[in-house]
């Protein structure tokens, strides 16, 4: 694979104390298709980067997304246990990525090779998706918690992030005011000293401002294990684990009235379930 020579190691970004550090992932390499060096070595990558077919079709099927651009990475897992920790690809307040698409390039993949994509459509059970050759998987960049399980074989894929355009950014100030009001309302609801249960609790757990944090609490043991599996031993890994432990403790204190309902399992069956495509 000629493009392998312009690949670089993938890193987890560690944000702590106002600074960002990099924690290298074991066995994971990547190349951005928009870079000229990548396109010079692999002209087909330039064609893929500029192909708008997927974006156009998604806009036709889901016009509420208003997708305007895409960024694509070729990712190579060298095997030997290479994997990704649990994470959300982005937050709606950080950037305009809305859809993640993964296109697998793994002829001959067999059960037992590992490298499955594990999705967590919280509060429903996790789903494992095998990285079969020519399979395309799409999910929400902002709302779908996911990880990649350890791989014992080489594993390749294109990861495609599709983003909204400037039209959606125009209402950013109004959205910020609405979010501030929503946070204040949530803070009042969570200030109670008595636990909440049933539908009242789950309405809060599934609120967009809380759902990510509740998912981290629900899956905290596996989340920590995924961080250990994805990175080599060393001081930076310990920093990541310490940061994660501190974050979980803060979330547990903030969501204390919801913990009994969260520990009990799923929301009442009559509550509507959201699709995370």
């Amino acid at each position: 694979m000629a493009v392998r020579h312009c690949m670089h190691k993938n890193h987890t970004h560690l944000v702590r104390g106002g600074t960002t550090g990099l924690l290298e992932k074991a066995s994971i390499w990547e190349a951005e298709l928009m870079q000229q060096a990548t396109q010079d070595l692999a002209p087909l990558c330039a064609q893929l980067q500029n192909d708008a077919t997927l974006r156009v079709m998604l806009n036709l099927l889901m016009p509420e997304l208003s997708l305007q651009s895409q960024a694509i990475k070729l990712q190579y897992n060298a095997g030997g246990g290479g994997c990704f920790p649990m994470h959300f690809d982005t937050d709606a307040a950080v950037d305009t990525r809305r859809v993640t698409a993964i296109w697998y390039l793994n002829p001959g993949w067999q059960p037992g090779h590992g490298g499955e994509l594990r999705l967590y459509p919280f509060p429903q059970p996790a789903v494992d998706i095998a990285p079969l050759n020519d399979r395309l998987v799409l999910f929400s960049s902002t709302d779908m918690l996911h990880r990649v399980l350890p791989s014992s074989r080489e594993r390749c894929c294109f990861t495609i992030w599709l983003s909204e355009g400037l039209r959606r950014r125009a209402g950013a100030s109004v959205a910020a005011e609405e979010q501030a009001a929503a946070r204040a309302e949530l803070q009042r609801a969570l200030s109670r000293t008595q636990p909440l249960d049933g539908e009242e609790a789950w309405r809060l757990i599934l609120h967009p401002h809380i759902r990510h944090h509740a998912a981290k609490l629900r899956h905290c043991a596996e989340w920590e294990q995924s961080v250990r599996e994805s990175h080599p031993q060393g001081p930076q890994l310990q920093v990541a684990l310490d940061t994660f432990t501190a974050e979980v403790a803060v979330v547990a204190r903030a969501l204390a009235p919801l913990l009994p309902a969260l520990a009990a399992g799923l929301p009442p069956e009559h509550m509507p379930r959201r699709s995370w495509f």
Side-chain angles (χ1 to χ4, degrees):
M1 185 188 300
V3 74
R4 172 70 172 78
H5 298 291
C6 67
M7 285 183 159
H8 54 84
K9 291 300 291 288
N10 179 278
H11 294 80
T12 296
H13 290 73
L14 302 176
V15 180
R16 189 178 189 184
T19 62
T20 300
L22 297 177
L23 176 57
E24 182 179 293
K25 292 187 182 75
S27 304
I28 307 295
W29 300 77
E30 62 186 19
E32 287 81 9
L33 267 61
M34 67 177 58
Q35 291 186 349
Q36 191 62 48
T38 304
Q39 297 181 11
D40 290 343
L41 286 172
L44 184 59
C45 288
Q47 296 180 38
L48 182 58
Q49 173 64 42
N50 295 321
D51 190 328
T53 302
L54 178 60
R55 188 168 72 252
V56 170
M57 292 304 297
L58 285 175
N59 280 336
L60 288 173
L61 295 171
M62 305 175 70
E64 68 276 11
L65 290 174
S66 186
L67 301 171
Q68 298 294 326
S69 63
Q70 64 188 29
I72 307 178
K73 285 186 179 182
L74 173 61
Q75 294 181 324
Y76 168 69
N77 184 331
C83 56
F84 281 74
M86 293 173 68
H87 66 285
F88 297 94
D89 276 350
T90 190
D91 184 283
V94 173
D95 59 45
T96 59
R97 285 180 292 173
R98 295 298 177 262
V99 177
T100 299
I102 304 178
W103 180 21
Y104 292 110
L105 311 170
N106 301 302
W109 184 93
Q110 297 293 327
H113 286 174
E116 294 90 348
L117 173 68
R118 177 168 290 176
L119 303 176
Y120 301 83
F122 176 81
Q124 305 305 316
V127 177
D128 288 350
I129 300 175
L132 301 181
N133 189 54
D134 207 28
R135 169 173 278 176
L136 180 69
V137 182
L138 298 96
F139 55 87
S140 169
S141 303
T142 56
D143 291 318
M144 182 60 77
L145 178 63
H146 61 286
R147 66 175 292 199
V148 175
L149 300 180
S151 179
S152 63
R153 297 289 193 276
E154 291 185 328
R155 174 187 181 279
C156 294
C157 67
F158 287 109
T159 298
I160 307 165
W161 289 286
L162 298 119
S163 301
E164 291 180 330
L166 295 176
R167 184 174 65 83
R168 287 298 182 96
R169 298 182 186 178
S173 59
V174 175
E177 293 178 1
E178 293 176 348
Q179 290 177 6
R183 282 193 294 268
E185 182 179 352
L186 290 173
Q187 289 172 355
R188 288 192 293 271
L190 293 174
S191 64
R192 294 177 50 171
T193 57
Q194 297 299 317
L196 301 173
D197 57 19
E199 187 170 338
E200 183 180 12
W202 277 100
R203 190 175 294 110
L204 290 174
I205 290 171
L206 297 178
H207 190 282
H209 292 311
I210 291 181
R211 180 180 173 273
H212 287 196
H213 303 298
K216 179 172 284 192
L217 283 180
R218 166 71 67 81
H219 299 293
C220 63
E222 183 178 354
W223 197 313
E224 179 179 344
Q225 182 62 29
S226 75
V227 174
R228 294 183 184 276
E229 291 174 342
S230 302
H231 308 95
Q233 293 290 330
Q236 285 295 92
L237 173 58
Q238 191 57 53
V239 170
L241 293 171
D242 291 345
T243 300
F244 175 77
T245 299
E247 289 175 352
V248 169
V250 170
V251 172
R253 289 195 298 271
L255 303 187
L258 307 179
L259 297 185
L262 187 61
L266 296 173
E269 291 187 1
H270 66 272
M271 292 189 67
R273 298 183 181 183
R274 178 172 178 179
S275 172
W276 305 109
F277 66 91

